[in-house]
Amino acid sequence: MCDTCATDATTATVDLTNEPVIAAYEVSGMTCGHCEGSIREEVGQIEGVTEVTAVAATGRLTIASTGPIDEDAIRAAVDEAGYTLTGPAKS
């Protein structure tokens, strides 16, 4: 038994089935909080999306989901919000 966490390390398991899928993209045209909110609203409607973070200052869109989301669906949602998804984010 571990003295720090009081668990038996030989029987501890990690449930990876609930881990979100995280994907990051670059979006052009965002300039303010309103832009960020518009993208969050449209992308957040995609089935399986659990969290959307849009940052105008960096042009970065980060999406957490229950599984992989088709990039075309994300592109369509960003277009619907009035912006352009330019591709996957560079590190």
Side-chain angles (χ1 to χ4, degrees):
M1 171 141 340
C2 174
D3 292 336
T4 303
C5 63
T7 61
D8 183 353
T10 61
T11 59
T13 59
V14 176
D15 181 6
L16 297 177
T17 59
N18 292 326
E19 290 291 317
V21 174
I22 306 294
Y25 298 91
E26 292 184 3
V27 174
S28 66
M30 288 192 289
T31 58
C32 65
H34 174 75
C35 303
E36 296 168 347
S38 296
I39 290 174
R40 278 194 308 269
E41 181 178 334
E42 290 296 332
V43 174
Q45 294 178 23
I46 298 171
E47 185 174 336
V49 171
T50 58
E51 186 175 333
V52 179
T53 303
V55 180
T58 61
R60 190 175 191 108
L61 170 65
T62 304
I63 301 168
S65 60
T66 57
I69 303 292
D70 182 63
E71 186 173 316
D72 288 340
I74 297 167
R75 185 179 309 280
V78 171
D79 285 350
E80 182 67 24
Y83 305 92
T84 303
L85 185 120
T86 58
K90 298 174 182 85
S91 310

